[in-house]
Amino acid sequence: MMRPRPEPVQIVKQRRDAALNALVAGVPFVQFLGIRFDRRGDELTALLPFDEKLIGNPQLPAIHGGVTAAFLEVTAIIELSWSMIWQAMENGNFDPAAPAAGRLPRLPKTIDFTVDYLRTGLPRDAYARARVNRSGRRYASVHVEAWQDNRSRLFAQGTAHFLMPGGETGRQNG
Amino acid sequence: MTDQMQRLARQFIESIPYARAMGMVLDRIEDGRATISMAYDARLVGDPESGVIHGGAVSALMDTCGGAAVMSHPTGPTGTATIDLRIDYMRPATPGQRITARAECYHVTRSVAFVRATAFDEDSARPVASATGAFTVERAAGGKP
């Protein structure tokens, strides 16, 4: 039996990038903080370019703890949503016209979020990656790490629990 | 709380660029308790479908309020930074309504402050979120413990 010819790489990339862009561009708070996402295959890295308005301690100076918390939480939500979209795309259950039409899966809701401040957030760009440790039908647990200059010297980490979209009713199909 | 300490704590809040960007207002500060609020702002929305403010904006409010509560503690800390913060999101804040956080620094040691905070929208009977956190305490050299 002949395997179907793989799709051209550009078509695949375009579909994935369009889905990611729609997901990120749709959230005003992500735009307010200026957070962007870099994609390599299914792996996302969040980027928070430094801006004066993100300062929390003008004397040091240092990034505001609330900015750090928000950056971690945004990274966790986008990663979790992205993992759902990715799966749908890979299974062929994703309408490629949906992102452009603003039709994306509903976002997960944060139940709780714990952030550890490990070092001062310096006045420069920050990066973060999240890992979905458990994603069930109703709940998900996501760990997220953020760093600045050195990947091994985290300045903050966090764990978040989420209620999955449709998880409130407990009557979700599939 | 002396006038000088009140002024110091207010300066602490009002000199924060991020607090200004989010439109935070210091409503009350006294003896290890602080109240800070912010208006509903479309730029801070986290769920475009419902118009609900992003959890990250609420956590910034609670973090700032926690820091303010520490600064206003009668033992007179000269600076503080968050060590950790856990936030429970109890319900979505109603779109269009002002969000108010109240924080209480319920215990301090020489170098650590323990804080509880609660956030409300205009329905003050049902909290939107609650938080607990530990903060560092900086003290002036030679100051009392």
Side-chain angles (χ1 to χ4, degrees):
Chain A
M1 201 170 124
M2 289 272 286
R3 237 198 272 177
R5 238 185 114 70
E7 282 180 291
V9 64
Q10 278 316 321
I11 301 282
V12 177
K13 276 191 182 173
Q14 214 169 49
R15 179 170 61 231
R16 292 173 179 172
D17 288 338
L20 179 60
N21 288 340
L23 178 65
V24 173
V27 184
F29 189 61
V30 175
Q31 305 310 312
F32 173 76
L33 290 172
I35 299 171
R36 303 200 297 264
F37 284 84
D38 196 25
R39 184 184 70 79
R40 295 286 179 272
D42 70 340
E43 185 194 63
L44 299 184
T45 305
L47 163 67
L48 175 69
F50 176 70
D51 188 282
E52 288 294 333
K53 80 167 182 220
L54 305 181
I55 291 282
N57 183 330
Q59 279 81 46
L60 286 176
I63 290 181
H64 195 285
V67 172
T68 303
F71 181 45
L72 292 175
E73 196 180 326
V74 162
T75 305
I77 295 181
I78 296 291
E79 177 68 43
L80 183 58
S81 303
W82 173 245
S83 71
M84 296 189 293
I85 293 173
W86 179 271
Q87 220 161 31
M89 280 192 296
E90 291 303 282
N91 296 342
N93 299 330
F94 189 78
D95 172 11
R103 281 182 284 116
L104 280 169
R106 294 221 52 171
L107 293 169
K109 285 184 186 150
T110 317
I111 300 168
D112 62 59
F113 182 57
T114 307
V115 52
D116 272 337
Y117 296 94
L118 305 171
R119 292 185 171 82
T120 300
L122 302 170
R124 56 189 76 147
D125 294 359
Y127 313 95
R129 273 185 207 149
R131 187 179 66 236
V132 179
N133 283 329
R134 156 90 176 138
S135 176
R137 220 151 33 109
R138 297 177 69 192
Y139 308 109
S141 176
V142 182
H143 185 79
V144 51
E145 298 180 338
W147 70 96
Q148 294 190 302
D149 297 310
N150 302 319
R151 177 69 180 88
S152 60
R153 286 171 62 84
L154 302 180
F155 79 102
Q157 63 178 354
T159 301
H161 294 98
F162 294 98
L163 189 61
M164 300 300 275
E168 297 103 302
T169 59
R171 284 187 276 108
Q172 193 190 18
N173 298 320
Chain B
M1 189 177 194
T2 66
D3 286 352
Q4 198 222 342
M5 278 159 72
Q6 279 262 5
R7 205 180 60 237
L8 214 85
R10 266 178 208 281
Q11 273 174 2
F12 171 75
I13 307 303
E14 284 162 14
S15 64
I16 299 172
Y18 188 63
R20 250 182 279 149
M22 303 237 315
M24 291 185 201
V25 176
L26 181 73
D27 297 319
R28 210 185 143 90
I29 187 157
E30 196 176 22
D31 294 341
R33 288 165 197 267
T35 305
I36 298 183
S37 63
M38 66 183 188
Y40 179 83
D41 186 333
R43 297 174 306 160
L44 309 180
V45 165
D47 185 353
E49 250 180 85
S50 60
V52 171
I53 293 283
H54 197 282
V58 179
S59 33
L61 185 68
M62 304 251 258
D63 183 60
T64 308
C65 196
V70 174
M71 291 300 288
S72 75
H73 195 272
T75 57
T78 56
T80 186
T82 320
I83 298 171
D84 88 321
L85 193 69
R86 177 195 157 114
I87 300 138
D88 293 332
Y89 296 102
M90 274 104 83
R91 67 175 176 93
T94 306
Q97 295 193 3
R98 190 168 190 85
I99 301 179
T100 303
R102 289 187 214 133
E104 177 201 6
C105 175
Y106 64 93
H107 186 75
V108 288
T109 69
R110 189 209 288 270
S111 45
V112 182
F114 299 89
V115 172
R116 275 191 283 258
T118 314
F120 298 88
D121 54 19
E122 286 163 23
D123 178 356
S124 58
R126 295 187 308 137
V128 163
S130 82
T132 55
F135 288 72
T136 66
V137 175
E138 314 301 331
R139 302 211 181 266
K144 58 179 177 180

